[in-house]
Amino acid sequence: QVQLVESGGGSVQTGGSLRLSCSASGDIMKTSCMGWWMQVPGQGMVRVARIDTLNITSYLDSVKGRFTISKDNAKNTLYLQMSRLQPEDTAMYFCAAYEVGCSGALRSRGEGTQVTVSS
């Protein structure tokens, strides 16, 4: 089982930026579609962005133009550059790998990093 560890969360003011990182213990990013999810207490996980093995990306409408997902296969690291942050971006952010393709079951998931945006 590949382990994923997120980092880079924190507290920022509206309009600020953060860069989240997700380090993998194994060579998962070359072979799996990867993504970032957000979760607010009491609500389900919402996929924010994903990147497939061909580096094709997809974003939640509310973050398009503000967030950028990328990865470094050599470093086994996934990133989420977050800009122009808004209070509604406040959530726990998780990275995860899909079992197959870019939908359905998740193969591995990290424990998350908290992002808090104050107005």
Side-chain angles (χ1 to χ4, degrees):
Q1 180 84 2
V2 174
Q3 292 189 332
L4 301 173
V5 179
E6 301 92 339
S7 62
S11 296
V12 297
Q13 292 189 326
T14 297
S17 299
L18 286 172
R19 189 194 196 201
L20 306 185
S21 298
C22 170
S23 296
S25 61
D27 206 13
I28 194 173
M29 296 191 189
K30 292 181 182 178
T31 58
S32 298
C33 182
M34 304 292 299
W36 286 97
W37 280 256
M38 63 185 294
Q39 186 170 28
V40 175
Q43 299 183 22
M45 290 176 63
V46 175
R47 194 180 74 183
V48 173
R50 63 89 168 153
I51 183 167
D52 69 12
T53 56
L54 298 177
N55 287 335
I56 296 172
T57 59
S58 177
Y59 296 92
L60 185 68
D61 283 348
S62 62
V63 308
K64 284 180 181 177
R66 299 190 299 121
F67 291 7
T68 302
I69 188 171
S70 63
K71 61 178 179 171
D72 186 329
N73 289 341
K75 294 182 179 180
N76 294 324
T77 304
L78 180 73
Y79 302 101
L80 185 69
Q81 178 67 49
M82 312 168 78
S83 303
R84 291 184 280 142
L85 282 160
Q86 303 295 317
E88 53 265 34
D89 297 321
T90 296
M92 185 73 79
Y93 284 77
F94 302 88
C95 66
Y98 282 103
E99 285 274 5
V100 178
C102 291
S103 63
L106 298 179
R107 174 181 171 187
S108 299
R109 200 194 90 168
E111 294 192 356
T113 185
Q114 177 68 38
V115 171
T116 303
V117 185
S118 58
S119 57

